[in-house]
Amino acid sequence: MTVPTVASPPSLTLPEMGCGTWAWGNQLLWGYDQSMDDALRQVFNHCLSHGVTLFDSGDSYGTGRLNGRSETLLGQFAHNYQGPHQESLCLATKLAAYPWRLTPSAVVKAGEASARRLQRPIDLVQMHWSTANYLPWQEAPFLDGLMDLVEQGQTRAIGLSNFGPKRLKLAHQRFQERGLTIATLQVQYSLLSTYPVTELGLKDLCDELGIRLIAYSPLALGLLTGKYAAQGPYPSGIRGLLFRQLLPKTQPLLDTVGAIAAHRQKTSAQVALNWCICKGTLPIPGAKTLAQAEQNIGALGWRLDSGEVEDLDRAAKQGQRQMVQNIFQSR
Ligand SMILES: NC(=O)c1ccc[n+]([C@@H]2O[C@H](COP(=O)([O-])OP(=O)(O)OC[C@H]3O[C@@H](n4cnc5c(N)ncnc54)[C@H](OP(=O)(O)O)[C@@H]3O)[C@@H](O)[C@H]2O)c1
């Protein structure tokens, strides 16, 4: 199939909140099976029709034979969608920095394969992770490949993910040399993962460089929804192991989130997402069911007041445990 290209890519308009699709195709961590596809289509339609126009995927999403499944599903759902906000749809994907993607042309090829699965040019193409921690010299040709994709009209904008301030500045400089910009940076940010902002100072740097900061795993893989308790039951697999360690130590934070939610007549998930928005970031919560998507969209249209944000900041700071940082997050 030939993917149509755009001659002069129109600029990107991003919403206040997006929808993450890591779980769409991932059996190992998220228990995906194909019987979920109809529910995922409902999630897509509901989000887009309510103005949640950004969907975040990755070419490594989908385990085993389902590799690329998240992009494939997004492509199908977008192709069949007939409701409002079609013109604002932003399909974002992340190209994995696999060790064999060493040249710009390998990255362009990967982008073309993603576009085929998405059935359209990629709106926002992102480098999935920084290779600074193990193969720093891979970054430059990878970034060049992303810039080639823009110049060839195959994507509208470029983003990065899991880059720290030092590597982000280097990348910014490289983009400037070609007269291009970095539109977004995606890092793990939530009440249980404040490190990228408080320790790395990425929000200030992004503001300075004109980059929109996207908060991934804003619900701490579901833990901040308050639906799991220290005494269990836990989700299956790796998440269960992680939550078993985290939950007893995060209860005071979860209690604060829950108390604010009760006072506001909101849910804990809505408070956790609203906090991300109040911090000037764009959260992309994952949703597997229509009910979750509906609830998450309830984080929009209102704002926590400054006192509530301070209470949450304090509770997050006093927490004895934070989420494990992505091993690829650079400094
Ligand atoms: N750049 C990167 O390296 C990177 C890394 C991770 C994620 N991401 C992106 O960020 C997106 C979001 O992060 P995430 O999916 O890791 O975690 P998340 O958004 O923190 O949590 C999502 C999970 O929480 C549960 N959930 C969501 N809304 C809920 C609600 N209202 N009530 C109850 N449970 C709810 C669902 O799982 P259950 O129903 O199973 O509990 C859902 O799959 C990903 O999908 C992906 O697009 C990027």
Side-chain angles (χ1 to χ4, degrees):
M1 194 197 99
T2 317
V3 175
T5 57
V6 277
S8 169
S11 64
L12 211 60
T13 307
L14 293 171
E16 263 195 299
M17 189 169 81
C19 176
T21 69
W22 179 18
W24 302 13
N26 186 302
Q27 294 173 310
L28 202 62
L29 187 70
W30 293 102
Y32 166 84
D33 73 70
Q34 291 181 29
S35 67
M36 291 162 69
D37 289 355
D38 193 51
L40 300 178
R41 184 186 49 76
Q42 290 176 37
V43 169
F44 178 89
N45 291 351
H46 187 78
C47 285
L48 185 50
S49 63
H50 286 78
V52 174
T53 52
L54 169 67
F55 294 85
D56 179 68
S57 186
D59 69 349
S60 59
Y61 287 179
T63 36
R65 67 184 171 79
L66 292 172
N67 203 24
R69 181 79 184 158
S70 160
E71 291 179 334
T72 301
L73 287 174
L74 275 177
Q76 288 170 8
F77 299 158
H79 182 73
N80 295 327
Y81 179 80
Q82 306 245 305
H85 304 298
Q86 280 178 69
E87 67 298 338
S88 309
L89 175 62
C90 177
L91 293 188
T93 198
K94 299 185 289 295
L95 303 183
Y98 292 131
W100 54 87
R101 288 183 178 162
L102 293 174
T103 59
S105 62
V107 175
V108 168
K109 251 180 146 170
E112 287 168 349
S114 286
R116 274 194 296 277
R117 284 188 288 272
L118 293 169
Q119 302 187 36
R120 54 189 259 148
I122 307 165
D123 297 296
L124 173 67
V125 68
Q126 305 155 99
M127 181 167 179
H128 201 147
W129 61 81
S130 165
T131 60
N133 297 340
Y134 62 98
L135 211 60
W137 48 266
Q138 190 187 355
E139 252 168 49
F142 204 107
L143 297 176
D144 289 347
L146 297 180
M147 289 189 270
D148 290 348
L149 282 168
V150 166
E151 286 179 351
Q152 292 168 14
Q154 304 212 51
T155 181
R156 291 158 67 194
I158 302 173
L160 304 180
S161 177
N162 297 309
F163 274 59
K166 202 170 141 204
R167 302 305 289 190
L168 181 62
K169 282 183 202 158
L170 286 173
H172 173 75
Q173 203 180 333
R174 200 169 182 89
F175 274 63
Q176 279 205 313
E177 283 160 13
R178 271 174 75 170
L180 293 172
T181 53
I182 299 166
T184 57
L185 172 69
Q186 191 180 126
V187 291
Q188 184 185 189
Y189 185 61
S190 73
L191 279 162
L192 269 174
S193 176
T194 53
Y195 167 83
V197 170
T198 53
E199 304 289 316
L200 296 181
L202 280 169
K203 179 67 176 76
D204 289 343
L205 181 60
C206 283
D207 287 348
E208 194 187 307
L209 301 179
I211 296 171
R212 189 88 184 264
L213 190 61
I214 294 179
Y216 78 67
S217 302
L219 297 172
L221 308 179
L223 194 142
L224 286 166
T225 63
K227 69 178 175 181
Y228 299 106
Q231 63 274 20
Y234 306 103
S236 59
I238 305 165
R239 267 200 309 163
L241 293 175
L242 181 68
F243 287 7
R244 206 178 291 267
Q245 287 179 357
L246 282 172
L247 269 162
K249 295 174 178 158
T250 51
Q251 200 54 52
L253 169 63
L254 295 179
D255 290 345
T256 305
V257 176
I260 293 174
H263 179 69
R264 282 278 191 169
Q265 296 188 307
K266 302 286 179 194
T267 67
S268 291
Q270 290 164 348
V271 168
L273 295 172
N274 199 282
W275 176 87
C276 290
I277 294 170
C278 288
K279 293 291 178 182
T281 69
L282 190 171
I284 48 168
K288 290 156 77 179
T289 63
L290 179 60
Q292 290 179 353
E294 284 171 345
Q295 195 187 125
N296 296 345
I297 288 172
L300 298 173
W302 60 283
R303 282 289 168 101
L304 292 161
D305 65 35
S306 54
E308 291 166 326
V309 171
E310 276 168 32
D311 288 348
L312 290 166
D313 286 347
R314 210 171 304 116
K317 207 169 170 185
Q318 281 164 358
Q320 293 163 288
R321 274 300 294 271
Q322 288 243 317
M323 288 288 282
V324 183
Q325 285 304 307
N326 191 308
I327 50 164
F328 298 126
Q329 173 66 52
S330 66
R331 294 201 59 91

